[in-house]
């Protein structure tokens, strides 16, 4: 309610035992939301009938007195996954340069791919286009090596007119490296700013950077004082 002296909260998801799941019988995880075009958009992972997580997204009508949410991902169980038979995890979204971008980890054949896509902004006729690669892979430095699937692996940040993305990825020896790439709005054109070798930004490249087995942490980008921190 915006009142710090007498704070109160109102549920806008129905207020009952069920939330905004597309199918309340299916598990939904890791919801996130952001503002775009003066509207609130949300994204989450939700299992389909085969228990394969699908990336679902939608928009809030903005009316707290009569709240409703509209799903914009394809009708039915399928989300915006590149392939509905591949598990999609850890979905995220960001408003960059007046466009709404999505990221998630796609897991074909157990090899995690860092996928990125952009929304056309038309709620009446929604569509999503991949901007990562033209080959169906993610922006992995090496698509044959997996982006790790344990944690909030793909994080965005606006900085100096570009969109920066970070995740961690196997270096070929089973040691996860922190990767960072930048994007300026042209589909399929990404620039690695982490040295562009099989080694990332780890302080010690022989040490695993991932959260796996609680050894490391989630890579995170922050724009502060006109500098980009990780």
């Amino acid at each position: 309610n915006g009142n710090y002296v007498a704070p109160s909260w109102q549920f806008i998801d129905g207020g009952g035992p069920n939330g905004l799941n597309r199918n309340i019988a299916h598990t939904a995880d890791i919801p996130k939301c952001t503002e775009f075009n003066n509207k609130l958009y949300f994204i989450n992972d939700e299992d389909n009938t085969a228990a394969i997580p699908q990336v679902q997204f939608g928009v809030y009508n903005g009316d707290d007195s009569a709240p409703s949410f509209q799903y914009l991902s394809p009708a039915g169980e399928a989300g915006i996954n590149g392939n509905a038979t591949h598990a999609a995890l850890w979905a995220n979204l960001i408003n960059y340069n007046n466009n709404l971008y999505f990221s998630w980890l796609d897991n074909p054949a157990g090899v995690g791919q860092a996928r990125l896509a952009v929304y056309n902004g038309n709620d009446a006729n929604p569509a999503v286009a991949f901007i990562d690669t033209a080959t169906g892979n993610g922006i992995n430095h090496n698509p044959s090596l997996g982006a790790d699937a344990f944690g909030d692996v793909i994080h965005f940040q606006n900085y100096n007119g570009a969109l920066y993305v970070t995740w961690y990825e196997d270096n070929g020896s089973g040691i996860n490296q922190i990767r960072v790439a930048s994007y300026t709005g042209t589909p399929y054109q990404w620039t690695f700013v982490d040295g562009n070798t099989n080694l990332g930004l780890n302080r010690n490249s022989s040490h695993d950077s991932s959260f796996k087995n609680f050894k490391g942490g989630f890579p995170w980008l922050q724009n502060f004082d006109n500098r980009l921190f990780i």
Side-chain angles (χ1 to χ4, degrees):
N1 65 348
N3 186 335
Y4 301 141
V5 177
S8 66
W9 293 85
Q10 171 192 352
F11 281 95
I12 57 173
D13 60 2
N18 301 315
L20 298 178
N21 300 32
R22 199 156 199 174
N23 185 328
I24 60 173
H26 296 168
T27 297
D29 292 312
I30 323 296
K32 293 183 176 69
C33 57
T34 197
E35 182 274 336
F36 171 65
N37 278 349
N38 297 313
K39 292 182 281 188
L40 186 67
Y41 288 79
F42 67 93
I43 196 168
N44 61 274
D45 316 327
E46 183 172 323
D47 287 355
N48 62 12
T49 302
I52 299 172
Q54 307 288 307
V55 176
Q56 304 283 357
F57 81 101
V59 64
Y60 176 50
N61 71 345
D63 185 350
D64 292 348
S65 63
S68 67
F69 292 82
Q70 174 191 355
Y71 273 94
L72 301 171
S73 36
E77 290 190 335
I80 57 173
N81 305 27
N83 185 324
T85 66
H86 297 165
L89 304 165
W90 317 110
N92 201 356
L93 74 174
I94 191 172
N95 181 347
Y96 161 66
N97 200 23
N98 298 315
N99 286 290
L100 187 61
Y101 289 87
F102 305 131
S103 71
W104 66 90
L105 187 81
D106 203 297
N107 201 23
V111 180
Q113 302 291 314
R115 302 308 311 262
L116 291 108
V118 63
Y119 176 49
N120 70 349
N122 186 346
D123 294 348
N125 188 24
V128 172
F130 283 95
I131 59 166
D132 39 25
T133 68
T135 62
N137 294 316
I139 60 169
N140 299 27
H141 189 266
N142 185 334
S144 68
L145 302 175
D148 201 290
F150 194 95
D152 191 3
V153 296
I154 304 173
H155 184 250
F156 298 112
Q157 182 64 63
N158 292 315
Y159 173 67
N160 201 26
L163 178 65
Y164 286 79
V165 181
T166 187
W167 67 99
Y168 42 74
E169 183 180 321
D170 191 328
N171 68 351
S173 300
I175 300 173
N176 284 291
Q177 307 288 311
I178 294 173
R179 311 300 323 206
V180 182
S182 67
Y183 176 77
T184 56
T186 303
Y188 315 140
Q189 293 188 17
W190 293 84
T191 302
F192 279 89
V193 295
D194 55 11
N196 197 25
T197 71
N198 68 316
L199 305 178
L201 295 179
N202 299 23
R203 190 158 194 170
N204 186 326
S205 61
S206 66
H207 294 169
D208 196 297
S209 67
S210 75
F211 196 65
K212 186 171 56 180
N213 300 323
F214 304 98
K215 293 186 294 186
F218 307 138
W220 191 272
L221 295 169
Q222 186 64 52
N223 184 349
F224 174 72
D225 195 26
N226 295 316
R227 293 181 290 175
L228 186 65
F229 291 83
I230 185 167

